[in-house]
Amino acid sequence: MILNEQIKPILQTLLVAGVLVVLLSQFIIGNAAFDQKQKEITLDAGNSWLEERQERNLASMNQNYSQFMTLGQSYLQEEYVDIALHHFFNAKTLFPERMGPRKNLCYSYLIKCQEDGRWCNHAKREIYYAMRYVDDSDEATKTYIQELAQMVDMDSLLQMEEGDMLSSIYLSENTSPAQ
C-alpha cells in the first residue's frame, strides 16, 4: 500500500511529461520556424539589411559632411574662425580623404596664425598632412596648399618624414627666445 502511494505520483508525472513531449515535438516538427530552409532565407535577408544599413550610414555621413562644410564656410565668412575650425575638423574626421575640409582647415589655421603666432604650429601641421592627402592629378589643390606652405615658411618641412617634421615644428617652439 505504501509502495502504491509512492509510485502513483511518479507514474502520473511521467505520463504528463510524456504527453507534453509528444505535443511539443508535434509542434516543432510542424512549425516552419524550426525548418533549416527558413534559417538560410533569414541569413540572406540579414546580408541585404547590412548593405542597406551601410548605405544609410554613408548617406547620413554625406549629409553631416555637407552641413559641417556649409556651417564652416558661413562662420568663416562671418569671421568666427574658431567655430569654423571645429566644423571643418568634424568634416575632415568624417571623410579624411576629401580635400575640401583640409584646405579650409589650413586656411583657417593661417588666419589664426596671423592673429596669434601660437597657432602657426597647428597651421604647419595641417598643411603638412594636407600635402600628404592631395592627389598629384589635382594641380589646383596642390598649388594652393604649396602657396599656404610658403606663407608660413615651411617648404623644407614638406619634404621631411612625419616624425622629423613634427619634432622640427614643436621643438623649435620650445627653444624660442620668448621663453
Side-chain angles (χ1 to χ4, degrees):
M1 184 122 184
I2 294 176
L3 185 61
N4 194 15
E5 289 176 10
Q6 291 176 346
I7 293 178
K8 188 175 181 181
I10 293 173
L11 288 176
Q12 288 174 343
T13 305
L14 287 175
L15 180 64
V16 170
V19 169
L20 285 175
V21 166
V22 169
L23 289 175
L24 192 59
S25 66
Q26 290 300 319
F27 172 75
I28 290 174
I29 290 172
N31 194 337
F34 297 101
D35 190 15
Q36 281 293 88
K37 292 181 182 179
Q38 183 68 26
K39 286 184 181 179
E40 291 175 11
I41 292 172
T42 303
L43 290 177
D44 289 341
N47 289 339
S48 65
W49 178 82
L50 181 62
E51 291 171 1
E52 290 171 2
R53 186 177 108 190
Q54 289 173 340
E55 289 173 9
R56 286 191 310 269
N57 286 347
L58 184 60
S60 177
M61 287 172 61
N62 278 319
Q63 181 182 7
N64 288 335
Y65 173 84
S66 296
Q67 288 175 352
F68 284 135
M69 289 298 291
T70 302
L71 287 170
Q73 287 292 339
S74 61
Y75 280 118
L76 192 60
Q77 288 175 354
E78 297 295 322
E79 297 181 9
Y80 294 111
V81 181
D82 291 331
I83 300 171
L85 278 170
H86 291 291
H87 288 293
F88 292 137
F89 182 81
N90 288 335
K92 179 187 83 163
T93 302
L94 286 174
F95 294 105
E97 70 282 352
R98 294 186 184 175
M99 289 307 296
R102 287 189 178 276
K103 290 185 336 187
N104 286 307
L105 206 53
C106 292
Y107 178 75
S108 300
Y109 276 128
L110 278 178
I111 291 173
K112 294 297 288 181
C113 176
Q114 289 174 346
E115 294 172 2
D116 183 358
R118 293 177 289 184
W119 286 91
C120 292
N121 291 336
H122 295 287
K124 289 177 182 180
R125 184 193 66 217
E126 198 57 46
I127 290 169
Y128 177 82
Y129 287 123
M131 280 303 290
R132 294 294 176 236
Y133 275 90
V134 71
D135 188 12
D136 288 333
S137 63
D138 188 3
E139 283 297 321
T141 302
K142 190 172 186 176
T143 303
Y144 178 75
I145 300 295
Q146 287 173 342
E147 289 173 2
L148 295 178
Q150 289 174 353
M151 289 181 184
V152 288
D153 296 327
M154 64 171 288
D155 294 329
S156 62
L157 297 176
L158 293 177
Q159 308 307 319
M160 292 182 174
E161 292 294 320
E162 181 177 356
D164 295 334
M165 183 276 307
L166 290 173
S167 64
S168 175
I169 288 174
Y170 290 106
L171 288 180
S172 66
E173 175 188 21
N174 293 335
T175 58
S176 65
Q179 287 191 357

